């Protein structure tokens, strides 16, 4: 983790988070989708984004692959790099939440301690959504042929094959995408957000 210099001072803005949220008519929140590759994280997040857009809500999807094309393009998939990947995303997510945006993060994020680090950073503005789907179903889907490559030894440290995935112990929402359709999943998230004061 980078060490901040004593000479770096946080610059406060004349327009604060509450001002931005009032303008947008929503509460900045980080909805964190975690689950195996192929479980449906990005599919669910994008469908949720469409539903919220129709409600007049401003959202943004932080997708794991997209982030690795730019901000985290220098990171590999070792345990150390995975931790740094999630740490950076947590900090980016915090900035998005401060801007008042409902932010949807789609990351395998296999380790509980890494997800807890982001939860502790965002506190009440963090919603963990566990996209629960069997490894067998994820392998059958295999939209990027990653499981096939991992089984053939072309990819090392692949989550679910030769690297562990630690299921969330107390997520706010669990979606079983191998038995529930997309609309049912989105309805569950919307219902949760409507009950969470001033989020949507």
């Amino acid at each position: 983790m980078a060490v901040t210099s004593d000479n770096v001072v946080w610059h406060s803005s004349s327009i604060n988070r509450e001002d931005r949220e009032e303008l947008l008519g929503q509460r900045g929140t980080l909805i964190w989708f975690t689950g195996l590759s192929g479980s449906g994280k990005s599919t669910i997040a994008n469908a949720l984004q469409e539903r919220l857009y129709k409600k007049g809500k401003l959202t943004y999807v932080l997708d794991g692959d997209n982030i690795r094309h730019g901000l985290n393009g220098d990171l590999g998939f070792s345990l150390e790099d995975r931790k740094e990947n999630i740490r950076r995303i947590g900090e980016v997510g915090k900035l998005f939440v401060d801007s008042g945006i409902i932010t949807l993060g789609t990351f395998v994020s296999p380790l509980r301690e890494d997800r807890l680090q982001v939860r502790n950073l965002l506190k009440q503005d963090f919603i963990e959504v566990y996209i629960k789907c069997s490894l067998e179903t994820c392998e059958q889907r295999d939209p990027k042929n990653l499981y096939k490559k991992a089984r053939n030894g072309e990819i090392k440290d692949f989550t679910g094959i030769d690297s562990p995935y630690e299921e969330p112990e107390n997520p706010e929402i669990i979606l079983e995408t191998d038995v529930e359709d997309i609309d049912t999943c989105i309805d569950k998230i919307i219902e949760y957000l409507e009950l969470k004061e001033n989020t949507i």
Side-chain angles (χ1 to χ4, degrees), residues 15-24 26-27 98:
I15 302 298
N16 62 29
R17 174 179 173 177
E18 288 72 24
D19 295 326
R20 292 185 285 270
E21 289 179 335
E22 183 178 358
L23 178 68
L24 295 171
Q26 63 186 46
R27 179 178 175 81
D98 186 60

Side-chain angles (χ1 to χ4, degrees), residues 3-119:
V3 178
T4 303
S5 168
D6 291 337
N7 298 319
V8 177
V9 179
W10 186 267
H11 180 76
S12 297
S13 172
S14 57
I15 302 298
N16 62 29
R17 174 179 173 177
E18 288 72 24
D19 295 326
R20 292 185 285 270
E21 289 179 335
E22 183 178 358
L23 178 68
L24 295 171
Q26 63 186 46
R27 179 178 175 81
T29 302
L30 176 57
I31 305 174
W32 189 275
F33 296 86
T34 178
L36 294 171
S37 177
S39 60
K41 298 181 298 299
S42 295
T43 299
I44 297 296
N46 278 287
L48 175 61
Q49 179 175 233
E50 290 179 5
R51 185 83 69 88
L52 290 173
Y53 178 81
K54 290 176 181 177
K55 287 178 171 288
K57 303 303 176 182
L58 181 61
T59 64
Y60 195 87
V61 175
L62 295 173
D63 180 83
D65 282 354
N66 292 354
I67 293 294
R68 282 183 175 273
H69 273 91
L71 176 65
N72 290 348
D74 61 324
L75 299 177
F77 291 90
S78 67
L79 189 60
E80 182 178 316
D81 280 358
R82 285 176 185 268
K83 287 180 177 293
E84 177 61 12
N85 181 54
I86 298 304
R87 186 195 71 79
R88 292 183 192 178
I89 294 305
E91 294 292 346
V92 170
K94 184 178 180 182
L95 293 173
F96 271 75
V97 168
D98 186 60
S99 74
I101 296 174
I102 298 172
T103 309
L104 318 177
T106 62
F107 303 93
V108 173
S109 48
L111 301 182
R112 292 191 190 104
E113 67 174 323
D114 294 342
R115 298 192 300 265
L116 180 60
Q117 181 181 31
V118 181
R119 180 184 290 276

Side-chain angles (χ1 to χ4, degrees), residues 171-187:
E172 281 72 16
I173 302 170
I174 299 176
L175 304 177
E176 299 186 65
T177 57
D178 47 3
V179 295
E180 298 174 314
D181 63 28
I182 292 177
D183 285 337
T184 299
C185 291
I186 302 307
D187 288 343

Side-chain angles (χ1 to χ4, degrees), residues 145-158 161-162:
N145 289 320
L146 297 178
Y147 286 100
K148 182 179 180 180
K149 291 179 180 178
R151 293 291 189 188
N152 291 336
E154 298 173 49
I155 300 177
K156 301 296 183 185
D157 301 319
F158 189 75
I161 303 300
D162 56 353

